[in-house]
Amino acid sequence: TLGSVLIAIAVIFALQGGARFLQLYLQWRLLTHYERKLTHGVGAAYLSSSWGFFVNSKIGHLVNVLAVETARATAALQFTLQSLAQFYIILFYCIISLLVSWHITVAGLVFGAIAGLFLKKFTGKTERYGALTSQINNEFQAVTFDLLSGAKLLKTTATEHHALQRIDEVVERKTHVRYVSQLSASFIPSFYFPLVMAMLAGIVYIATTYWDVAFGAILIFVYIFYRLIPALSTMQGAFEQAMIYIPAVIAIHEVETKAHEEKETFGAVPFTGLKNEMLFKNVSLSYEQNHEVLSSITFGIKPGEF
């Protein structure tokens, strides 16, 4: 009856809305947990490292990894999840298409593989631009930190214009890399749809001319292909965006590895309390080999002294 059909439609859309909300809830819960855990891991790696790690690192670079690259790494995970979700939708439609006509499906997969090989070189460019973005972000953070920490010196020496010129140079390269990376990522979705439509036309022509496939099967295949196009475009776009942000994951891994390699070492003798004084007798210190910072220093510090 009309009533039962309308009720069924309403229930289906309600279930769809609930499933959509559940998807977004799980997605953002995962992403926020990942970013929080990632940021905590970087901060813990910093604080557990020795002072030599900070001496040999640019503070702006460390700030960039902690504040910017962790957010970019979270974006990489987000776009990767979106790409995977679309992949499963595409897989479902491919199975349906195989059941309808395996000839047409195999032809579509072959044409799709050829198109993927054609567009592969643009994917590599996008990944390189992502790595360059991480590098320039580090440089921008370092310049900004130097500017703000040395503002008093800049004002007293009247060299503000030199500092501003340095910032302008970095910002110009930073915005240019962002421009070309987004342009590269937009190239594939823009040309993917016409390429796919040309493939569809070729497959339909071959199926009707040489394979004598039933017209009904062709109509079903065209409909499935029509539903596939947005999923393919979304998956490709999400994959391109992931390639832009994945270098941030590599940058975080590198700085964490370096921090762990220079981890603070602790003595084996437990400290039970300070009785008279702390005595340093003929103490030498170096962060790098053959370059002493302190040489044979002797002094004592009593309780309460600084």
Side-chain angles (χ1 to χ4, degrees):
T1 63
L2 178 63
S4 61
V5 170
L6 293 176
I7 291 174
I9 292 174
V11 170
I12 289 172
F13 276 95
L15 291 174
Q16 182 186 29
R20 176 64 176 167
F21 176 78
L22 180 62
Q23 175 199 350
L24 293 174
Y25 166 75
L26 293 174
Q27 173 183 319
W28 287 109
R29 183 177 179 181
L30 173 63
L31 291 174
T32 52
H33 175 75
Y34 175 75
E35 184 174 4
R36 185 166 59 246
K37 186 176 181 180
L38 200 63
T39 306
H40 174 80
V42 174
Y46 287 174
L47 296 178
S48 63
S49 62
S50 64
W51 181 246
F53 168 75
F54 295 97
V55 171
N56 296 319
S57 303
K58 292 183 178 180
I59 299 300
H61 169 61
L62 300 181
V63 171
N64 177 70
V65 172
L66 184 63
V68 179
E69 298 302 302
T70 50
R72 295 182 72 236
T74 304
L77 176 61
Q78 178 183 358
F79 286 115
T80 301
L81 292 175
Q82 290 180 5
S83 182
L84 284 174
Q86 296 302 317
F87 170 77
Y88 286 118
I89 293 174
I90 293 169
L91 182 63
F92 170 78
Y93 280 122
C94 286
I95 293 173
I96 300 298
S97 181
L98 278 171
L99 296 176
V100 174
S101 174
W102 70 268
H103 302 85
I104 300 179
T105 305
V106 171
L109 293 175
V110 170
F111 278 107
I114 294 173
L117 291 174
F118 173 74
L119 299 172
K120 186 177 180 181
K121 60 180 181 179
F122 297 101
T123 304
K125 285 184 178 181
T126 304
E127 188 174 0
R128 287 195 298 273
Y129 288 139
L132 193 58
T133 299
S134 293
Q135 178 183 341
I136 294 180
N137 280 340
N138 289 333
E139 187 176 351
F140 178 72
Q141 292 287 343
V143 171
T144 305
F145 181 84
D146 291 341
L147 168 67
L148 296 178
S149 60
K152 185 177 181 180
L153 179 63
L154 292 174
K155 300 296 291 183
T156 54
T157 56
T159 54
E160 301 96 325
H161 60 287
H162 292 296
L164 185 59
Q165 184 179 2
R166 173 64 176 150
I167 290 179
D168 289 341
E169 292 174 358
V170 177
V171 169
E172 184 176 354
R173 287 192 289 116
K174 183 171 182 279
T175 52
H176 176 71
V177 170
R178 182 187 300 173
Y179 162 73
V180 294
S181 64
Q182 291 297 332
L183 193 65
S184 177
S186 302
F187 175 83
I188 293 179
S190 300
F191 289 91
Y192 194 72
F193 183 78
L195 187 62
V196 166
M197 293 307 299
M199 288 164 43
L200 175 61
I203 293 171
V204 171
Y205 177 79
I206 294 172
T208 53
T209 306
Y210 299 101
W211 293 339
D212 196 25
V213 178
F215 185 71
I218 293 177
L219 284 180
I220 295 174
F221 175 77
V222 170
Y223 174 75
I224 292 174
F225 210 82
Y226 174 77
R227 296 301 300 267
L228 269 175
I229 289 175
L232 286 167
S233 179
T234 303
M235 184 184 74
Q236 188 65 43
F239 181 74
E240 290 296 319
Q241 291 296 325
M243 288 298 100
I244 293 177
Y245 292 114
I246 278 178
V249 181
I250 300 173
I252 292 172
H253 174 71
E254 289 177 349
V255 76
E256 280 189 328
T257 301
K258 184 179 178 183
H260 289 314
E261 288 175 353
E262 301 185 37
K263 192 173 183 178
E264 187 98 58
T265 56
F266 296 92
V269 180
F271 177 72
T272 57
L274 186 60
K275 296 179 181 179
N276 298 319
E277 64 177 355
M278 272 199 318
L279 180 63
F280 293 80
K281 189 175 181 180
N282 295 325
V283 174
S284 299
L285 175 67
S286 62
Y287 300 114
E288 300 175 357
Q289 291 183 352
N290 304 322
H291 182 71
E292 285 190 337
V293 180
L294 300 177
S295 179
S296 300
I297 299 296
T298 300
F299 64 96
I301 305 178
K302 294 181 180 181
E305 289 184 343
F306 180 82

